[in-house]
Each structure stands twice: as structure tokens, then as C-alpha cells.
Amino acid sequence: MNLAQAAQARPPGDPGGENVLRLADVTVRFGGITAVDAVTLDVPGGQVVGLIGPNGAGKTTLLDSVSGLRTPTEGRIVLDGADVTARTASWLSRHGIRRTFQRHQAFGWLTVRQNVLVPLEWRTRGRGLLGDLLGLPHRRRETEALLQRVDEVVELCGLSDVRDVSAATLPIGRLRLLEFARAIVDSPRLLLLDEPTSGLGQRETELLREVLLGLVRRHELTVILVEHDVDFVMGLADRVVCLVQGAVLADGTPAEIRRNPEVIAAYLGN
Ligand SMILES: Nc1ncnc2c1ncn2[C@@H]1O[C@H](COP(=O)(O)OP(=O)(O)OP(=O)(O)O)[C@@H](O)[C@H]1O
């Protein structure tokens, strides 16, 4: 990862590409509770959109809808121009949407390297099984390429020193970085991050920031970032959306959101 190269590829403030994602009046209800209330949002390619708001504002529920874990009660979700509102999580995952969760999802009994390999194995599952069994050269080359990619991402996420250690023995900060590594290893188009800095120390937070910034600036990634660490969001996001009681209270640049009196009253404080 070279941040200088990354910064050249897309200068800060560049509006990014066409919309990767469009939410149109997305509403999610749980019985009488409206968790997400008619949210309309465009996410241009290559941008980081920060999603902030108080506890219970509907941020995670919105990510659940975009990642196919929860079908909206109303409204439409459009990915690269196609309506994906009713698509399943596994379909969306195969089509380039990845997410992390507030609680890490690593497999404790696998090593760091094996954990990062899982999404790649899953993507190529079943393909070339005969080639594997016969040890055919083209399959060996494919496997070597996958392992090389795994090692690159493990290094990028600062996990090389623990790559052969089982995940169950890692402290929480390392586990969160492992979760992130698993989410980016197969180069998703859209990454949904749910409180990625929670449990990270200062150095780990800075590493995560640099890795994310590099990927985004090189147009490799579009991100929706849910995060309570306001400085982290404001430092990374091209745009910030503040949700309150399921609805969009404000949508603007980090500077606009920081000085928005309604956002200050509802969430940021003074
Ligand atoms: N499975 C569920 N069943 C019923 N209500 C739910 C469910 N999931 C979320 N809610 C409710 O929906 C609302 C939004 O919750 P959500 O977790 O999306 O908020 P959030 O902004 O992510 O909060 P936090 O910052 O605390 O993670 C809350 O009132 C919550 O209690």
C-alpha cells in the first residue's frame, strides 16, 4: 500500500464515479417500530459515505437491508442500476457487497491465513475440483495466486506476525482487523462497515484508516461506514449522513455536518 500513489489516483474532494448504490424511500418496520424511515441515499463509486447517529437511529438496520439480511418493508435498493431489493445476502455477496459486523465473525479454530482464505475459497467453490484432485498445473497456479492474495491482505492489515496463529487466541483489536481483511480480500465493489474501530487501539485505528483510504483513493472500493468515532468518520468520509429515529436528519460534507445545529443538538453535542 502506497498512500502517495493512492492520493494521486483520486484527489480528496473528487466527487467519485457514477452511483454504485441508490436507496429510494427505504423503510424497515419491526411491528410498530419504524427502524428506517423512508431513507433516500445515493452512493457514488469510489466514495466513503459515513453514517452517524445516536443509538437506535437505524444505522445497522440500514446496513442489514443493503446487505440482504433484511428485506425492506417499503422502498427500493438499486445496485449498479439493477433493482436488488429482494435479493438474498448470498446473492449480493457474490455480486460484490461485503460487510463487517459489530461482533466479529472469524472462525476461532482456523488460523488468520485460513480465515482470510475462506471468502476466496467460497467464491471459487466447486470450480476445478477435479483439477485440484489431479493436481493439475493450472489449478496449482490458481491456488498459489489465491494464497498470494491472502498474504498480501494479511500484510496490508498488519497481521503478518500472527498469520499462522489460530483466531481464537487473538485480542479483540486483531480480530477486528482480521474481520476487515476477510471483507476486502476478494475486492468487493461495495463495503459496508459496522463500527470497524470498536475494540481497536490507536495504532490499529490509524492502520485501518490508511488501508481504507488507499483502497478508496485507487477506486478499488466504495464504502458505507457506520461509526461512533466521529473524528474517524469525519477524517475519512467524502459525505456524512446523520440518521435520527430512522430518518435522514442531514446529509453533507464532513464540515457541513460538523456545524449543522440540528446534528449538534441530536448527536454531536458541543
Ligand atoms: N430485530 C429487531 N426486532 C425489533 N426491533 C429491532 C430489531 N433490530 C433493531 N430493532 C430496533 O430498530 C431500531 C434501530 O436499531 P439499529 O440497531 O438499526 O440502530 P443503530 O443506529 O444501529 O444503533 P446502535 O448505534 O446502537 O448500533 C431500534 O429501535 C431497535 O431497537
Side-chain angles (χ1 to χ4, degrees):
M1 173 62 46
N2 177 332
L3 280 180
Q5 279 174 347
Q8 270 176 3
R10 181 170 77 80
D14 183 307
E18 288 180 8
N19 287 330
V20 167
L21 183 76
R22 164 163 286 192
L23 306 182
D25 283 321
V26 169
T27 295
V28 181
R29 291 195 193 92
F30 298 107
I33 297 171
T34 303
V36 176
D37 191 1
V39 168
T40 292
L41 183 65
D42 285 333
V43 182
Q47 279 206 355
V48 178
V49 174
L51 202 52
I52 60 170
N55 292 332
K59 304 178 296 294
T60 296
T61 307
L62 195 62
L63 291 196
D64 286 348
S65 297
V66 175
S67 58
L69 292 176
R70 195 167 293 286
T71 304
T73 319
E74 288 163 29
R76 289 196 324 137
I77 299 175
V78 178
L79 178 71
D80 288 327
D83 190 326
V84 297
T85 315
R87 292 292 186 179
T88 61
S90 66
W91 189 94
L92 290 165
S93 174
R94 282 198 308 279
H95 289 78
I97 296 188
R98 278 273 181 278
R99 73 169 289 181
T100 63
F101 292 84
Q102 285 179 18
R103 294 178 65 167
H104 77 84
Q105 309 274 311
F107 300 111
W109 66 95
L110 297 182
T111 67
V112 164
R113 210 168 173 234
Q114 288 165 340
N115 262 289
V116 180
L117 184 60
V118 168
L120 292 179
E121 283 283 339
W122 182 75
R123 200 186 61 185
T124 58
R125 183 176 49 179
R127 275 192 13 225
L129 191 59
L130 184 63
D132 266 348
L133 293 175
L134 298 175
L136 294 179
H138 79 277
R139 262 311 279 178
R140 273 209 308 277
R141 278 196 299 276
E142 257 181 44
T143 305
E144 278 163 18
L146 291 187
L147 290 174
Q148 191 182 341
R149 171 69 183 157
V150 166
D151 287 341
E152 275 169 21
V153 171
V154 164
E155 187 180 353
L156 193 66
C157 296
L159 295 167
S160 293
D161 60 322
V162 288
R163 69 177 207 172
D164 298 315
V165 167
S166 73
T169 64
L170 295 180
I172 183 69
R174 288 305 196 66
L175 279 170
R176 299 304 307 247
L177 289 173
L178 173 56
E179 168 101 343
F180 178 73
R182 281 158 43 99
I184 63 169
V185 69
D186 64 345
S187 307
R189 181 139 171 65
L190 176 64
L191 180 61
L192 312 173
L193 296 172
D194 201 350
E195 299 193 27
T197 72
S198 133
L200 297 191
Q202 200 179 337
R203 268 186 45 220
E204 292 163 334
T205 302
E206 185 52 29
L207 174 76
L208 179 68
R209 199 187 78 80
E210 288 194 4
V211 174
L212 263 175
L213 202 58
L215 293 172
V216 170
R217 294 269 181 263
R218 284 187 284 134
H219 271 283
E220 290 179 13
L221 202 56
T222 302
V223 180
I224 300 181
L225 170 65
V226 168
E227 183 54 68
H228 282 292
D229 179 338
V230 171
D231 289 337
F232 185 82
V233 183
M234 298 294 185
L236 258 176
D238 297 282
R239 226 172 85 223
V240 177
V241 174
C242 181
L243 281 188
V244 173
Q245 293 180 0
V248 175
L249 177 71
D251 180 343
T253 64
E256 286 165 351
I257 293 295
R258 266 200 199 275
R259 60 173 181 260
N260 181 309
E262 287 180 304
V263 177
I264 291 170
Y267 181 59
L268 292 179
N270 287 307

